[in-house]
Structures are given as C-alpha cells and as structure tokens.
C-alpha cells in the first residue's frame, strides 16, 4: 500500500481532534468535528495508521501511545519518531536512498521518482513535505533536495 498523499497538518489535525474527544471516537463523529480542510478523511486515517499513530477498530478511531505522544509532546519528538518510521516506508525509502547516493538531487528528478509511485503534482509536494518535516531530506535553494 502506497503512502497516501495527504498533508502533514491533515494528519496532525486528525490526531488533535481524536485526542480532544478522549482518544477514542466513532469515525463518523470525527467527520462532523473535522474541518473540511482534512479532505478525504479515509486517506488521512490510512496515513495515521501507517505511521502507527492511530488504529481503527469497529468504526472507532483510537490514538496509539505514539499518537498520544505526537499531540502531547514537543514537535521535535514527533519529527524524530516520523524520521524513524518513514525511512522504512515507500516512497520515502527510495527518496532517501537516491538523495544519499547523489548528495544533491534536482526537484525535477525527485518529481520524476515520485511520479513512478503514482503521485500527481500535489502528491509529489505532499510527500516531499513529509520527508522535510521528518528531517529525512532538506530543500536547498528551492531547487535541490539534499540529505538532512
């Protein structure tokens, strides 16, 4: 299963909503409580589950210990956690490997790599944003992707 092309803040927003509703909530209630900016909630839930931050069970969404920590602890700890998790998830594994090998990869080449995984332009941006947020890579001068 490929990583859903959702924004970092969509996942963080979902975690905050579930946390504020007690850490366990009916998915239908989340849909009502969540801002329309979350887009397709099912993809946001899939991303949170892939990251080990949320579990769905019988129509309920439950924060995992990591999900609870993501909301309650400093952002830096979440970034460290995501760095560890995302390194083992495609397309991040391929992206990190390519950037580590080349030391400096053009944005065009990154886009081409991510398109092979089926991402459109918005998806490419979102995947790259996750990689930067998790400090897997950095963007240099707006046109190069380099190791963090």
């Amino acid at each position: 299963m490929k990583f859903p092309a959702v924004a970092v803040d969509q996942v963080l927003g979902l975690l905050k909503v579930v946390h504020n509703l007690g850490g366990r909530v009916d998915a239908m209630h989340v849909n009502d409580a969540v801002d329309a900016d979350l887009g397709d909630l099912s993809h946001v839930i899939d991303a949170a589950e892939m990251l080990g931050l949320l579990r769905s069970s019988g129509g309920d969404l439950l924060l995992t210990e990591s999900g609870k920590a993501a909301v309650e602890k400093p952002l830096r700890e979440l970034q460290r956690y995501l760095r560890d998790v995302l390194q083992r998830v495609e397309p991040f594994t391929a992206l990190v490997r390519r950037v580590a090998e080349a030391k400096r990869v053009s944005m065009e080449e990154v886009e081409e790599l991510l398109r092979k995984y089926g991402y459109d332009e918005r998806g490419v941006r979102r995947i790259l944003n996750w990689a930067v947020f998790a400090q897997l890579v950095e963007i240099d001068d707006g046109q190069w992707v380099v190791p963090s």
Side-chain angles (χ1 to χ4, degrees), residues 38-56:
L38 274 187
D40 188 350
L41 186 59
S42 66
H43 294 307
V44 178
I45 292 169
D46 288 346
E49 283 188 299
M50 282 182 85
L51 295 171
L53 300 171
L54 192 72
R55 269 191 356 213
S56 58

Side-chain angles (χ1 to χ4, degrees), residues 45-148:
I45 292 169
D46 288 346
E49 283 188 299
M50 282 182 85
L51 295 171
L53 300 171
L54 192 72
R55 269 191 356 213
S56 58
S57 170
D60 284 353
L61 301 178
L62 298 94
L63 276 185
T64 63
E65 283 304 311
S66 298
K68 189 175 176 195
V71 175
E72 295 177 354
K73 294 194 174 169
L75 198 58
R76 185 169 299 291
E77 289 189 36
L78 173 60
Q79 289 173 305
R80 259 196 305 269
Y81 172 83
L82 290 175
R83 180 182 173 106
D84 183 50
V85 171
L86 288 176
Q87 294 186 93
R88 299 185 304 257
V89 175
E90 288 297 357
F92 302 100
T93 306
L95 175 62
V96 168
R97 184 174 42 248
R98 179 72 190 106
V99 171
E101 288 168 359
K103 303 290 185 239
R104 191 174 166 94
V105 180
S106 71
M107 290 295 272
E108 293 79 22
E109 192 178 336
V110 167
E111 185 173 329
E112 189 179 307
L113 171 74
L114 294 177
R115 283 186 182 275
K116 288 179 184 170
Y117 284 88
Y119 295 102
D120 61 11
E121 187 178 335
R122 185 177 78 162
V124 167
R125 265 195 325 275
R126 287 181 167 179
I127 294 300
L128 195 50
N129 286 341
W130 275 103
V132 170
F133 181 76
Q135 300 173 336
L136 294 171
V137 298
E138 292 178 15
I139 297 177
D140 181 27
D141 200 22
Q143 55 189 336
W144 299 97
V145 179
V146 298
S148 275

Side-chain angles (χ1 to χ4, degrees), residues 7-35:
V8 174
D9 22 342
Q10 289 177 306
V11 172
L12 297 182
L14 173 62
L15 297 178
K16 286 178 184 166
V17 167
V18 174
H19 184 268
N20 291 342
L21 295 172
R24 179 186 188 116
V25 65
D26 185 308
M28 296 306 291
H29 290 66
V30 171
N31 222 357
D32 298 338
V34 170
D35 188 350

